[in-house]
Amino acid sequence: MGARERELLLDAFDSNWIAPLGPHVDAFEQEFAGVVGRKHAVAVASGTAALHLSLRLLDVQPEQEVFTSTMTFVATANSIRYANAKPVFIDSEESTWNMDPMLLAEELDRCSQVGKLPAAVMVVDVNGQCANYAMISEICESFGVPIIEDAAESLGAKLSGKPAGSFGQLGCFSFNGNKIITTSGGGMLVTDDESWAKQARYLATQARDPAPHYEHTVMGYNYRMSNLLAAIGRGQLQVLEDRVNRRREIFQVYQRHLSNLPGICFMPEPDGFHSTRWLTAMTIDPNALGCDREQIRLALEAENIEARPVWKPMHLQPAYRDCRHVGGEVAERLFRDGLCLPSGSSMSEADQSRVINVISQLRRTASVEALTCPTRV
Ligand SMILES: *Cc1c(COP(=O)(O)O)cnc(C)c1O
């Protein structure tokens, strides 16, 4: 947190707008919409709430299928279950780690032939990088299936100069504590459709109809963001660009020191993609490096450094084992070999050197022949 966040929070506090809603919520929504290039933004209690509301806005019905990326945080899949719909998990592609457009096209084609297209495709922009919307948007459009963009991890990323969150009919963001900017907890739903934005605000405030008493015709939720948190969000929005630059810098230092080790490959950033490197994620080929993902993780842990495997694919999660999935081998391999290194914006140079030294040392003690990595960035 910076000085501006504190000022804005105290302003909200002193104004006595403590109840949910208030002038900072309105201002945060307007400022945020500008940053991600959308006409409307609706501030909500979490990224998960934004995803759930998106499905309601698209009128997704119980038992309908919703396609999504298997490589994601569980919140994506949970939101589909909240709507009583059925998630179908699509594998990643190697080049972005996000939803494979070819598999998506094949599966949509199969479903359309039996007259059972999904109600929506919820595409995830994982680890700070957009999915391949140049292909995905065209494919979904040709089948008439709407896109919900789960950009919770990718605020600040770009694809062909367009911001993450601007690719779906609806886009969702998170301001949870671990995200690139935070309000401690919170989320944002973005769209260009004014009636959807209005409907989202209505559903997020218990769907209260205009009447002097409390009148309700449909079921709503308590999903709005509080004025206090919106004040923090406005301050955080001003440092977003610095955060993105810092995360990319951290990535570059890791890349400089580790990419010459055999068997280490970083998450690729193809031409036209501008990742925030929210997390520096890499894969380890144990045959080339001489030690595997888990040995590196444990060596770091022994030095009190936390590193984590990349997301465990949803089709492997016990909670979602009974769901359909399309492919899965790429995400499984990324999970088996993938590691997220400490990437916080406030990491010092010395912090990063400690991480790099542990990995380099482990490599030195592992006596194997050096093979070159075919997909190194
Ligand atoms: C963090 C995250 C969410 C959920 O956001 P919350 O604000 O924690 O509810 C959803 N999807 C992805 C991909 C995330 O990383």
Side-chain angles (χ1 to χ4, degrees):
M1 288 293 145
R4 188 73 187 128
E5 286 84 327
R6 189 184 159 84
E7 256 170 49
L8 286 159
L9 177 62
L10 288 178
D11 175 79
F13 191 85
D14 294 338
S15 72
N16 219 25
W17 279 97
I18 308 300
L21 304 184
H24 284 289
V25 174
D26 301 340
F28 187 30
E29 290 181 343
Q30 275 180 20
E31 290 160 8
F32 192 90
V35 166
V36 300
R38 301 301 301 242
K39 292 205 179 102
H40 306 280
V42 179
V44 292
S46 69
T48 315
L51 292 168
H52 185 197
L53 283 172
S54 297
L55 295 162
R56 274 291 303 263
L57 294 174
L58 292 175
D59 202 24
V60 173
Q61 294 299 311
E63 300 303 305
Q64 276 190 310
E65 286 188 338
V66 173
F67 290 5
T68 191
S69 317
T70 194
M71 166 76 71
T72 187
F73 177 51
V74 73
T76 317
N78 285 346
S79 73
I80 298 170
R81 275 259 169 94
Y82 296 166
N84 296 313
K86 290 181 169 170
V88 176
F89 301 113
I90 315 272
D91 202 2
S92 298
E93 58 173 355
E94 299 274 355
S95 55
T96 63
W97 292 23
N98 284 312
M99 186 183 284
D100 184 331
M102 299 317 293
L103 279 185
L104 171 67
E106 282 169 27
E107 189 58 24
L108 284 173
D109 195 42
R110 230 186 328 264
C111 289
S112 109
Q113 282 175 26
V114 294
K116 277 200 165 174
L117 281 169
V121 181
M122 193 178 267
V123 186
V124 182
D125 302 336
V126 91
N127 290 340
Q129 181 156 274
C130 290
N132 185 352
Y133 292 103
M135 294 180 72
I136 291 174
S137 300
E138 201 175 302
I139 292 162
C140 286
E141 205 171 308
S142 74
F143 286 95
V145 178
I147 294 175
I148 299 169
E149 183 180 0
D150 181 351
E153 296 179 10
S154 297
L155 174 60
K158 290 197 166 82
L159 169 58
S160 305
K162 280 188 72 190
S166 66
F167 295 98
Q169 275 76 357
L170 295 147
C172 301
F173 293 92
S174 165
F175 310 117
N176 193 40
N178 61 337
K179 300 304 200 284
I180 198 155
I181 62 169
T182 181
T183 58
S184 76
M188 195 72 84
L189 176 72
V190 298
T191 180
D192 292 332
D193 186 315
E194 188 178 3
S195 63
W196 271 347
K198 275 195 183 142
Q199 183 71 2
R201 291 192 183 99
Y202 166 76
L203 290 172
T205 44
Q206 306 285 20
R208 189 180 171 196
D209 295 328
H213 59 276
Y214 283 82
E215 179 79 11
H216 308 273
T217 31
V218 300
M219 182 189 74
Y221 311 93
N222 180 6
Y223 273 175
R224 275 297 245 169
M225 178 182 279
S226 95
N227 194 54
L228 293 179
L229 299 188
I232 298 175
R234 292 182 68 198
Q236 285 272 286
L237 207 49
Q238 294 180 11
V239 298
L240 173 63
E241 206 178 308
D242 297 340
R243 293 286 163 86
V244 172
N245 292 338
R246 179 69 191 125
R247 300 262 169 157
R248 286 182 65 85
E249 230 169 62
I250 287 168
F251 167 78
Q252 280 154 12
V253 171
Y254 280 133
Q255 191 187 34
R256 197 154 58 238
H257 289 90
L258 298 175
S259 63
N260 57 337
L261 298 183
I264 288 187
C265 304
F266 290 94
M267 183 177 81
E269 186 183 40
D271 282 350
F273 288 73
H274 188 80
S275 168
T276 65
R277 300 292 181 182
W278 171 60
L279 292 179
T280 288
M282 63 181 196
T283 54
I284 294 112
D285 175 353
N287 296 323
L289 190 67
C291 50
D292 64 12
R293 189 282 309 279
E294 197 52 13
Q295 284 170 297
I296 294 183
R297 194 187 69 76
L298 291 171
L300 289 167
E301 193 175 82
E303 296 295 322
N304 200 23
I305 298 166
E306 186 186 25
R308 283 193 215 143
V310 304
W311 297 127
K312 179 173 179 175
M314 286 303 119
H315 71 275
L316 299 181
Q317 295 286 357
Y320 287 98
R321 193 163 278 159
D322 57 340
C323 296
R324 262 179 3 98
H325 64 96
V326 182
E329 300 76 20
V330 175
E332 284 170 28
R333 188 188 61 76
L334 293 173
F335 173 59
R336 187 192 63 205
D337 296 335
L339 191 67
C340 297
L341 296 176
S343 310
S345 314
S346 58
M347 270 184 101
S348 68
E349 249 177 74
D351 290 338
Q352 241 194 312
S353 299
R354 282 181 57 214
V355 180
I356 291 162
N357 287 340
V358 170
I359 298 172
S360 308
Q361 190 59 41
L362 199 63
R363 158 67 189 163
R364 259 177 251 124
T365 51
S367 58
V368 288
E369 63 194 45
L371 301 174
T372 47
C373 172
T375 55
R376 186 180 304 154
V377 181

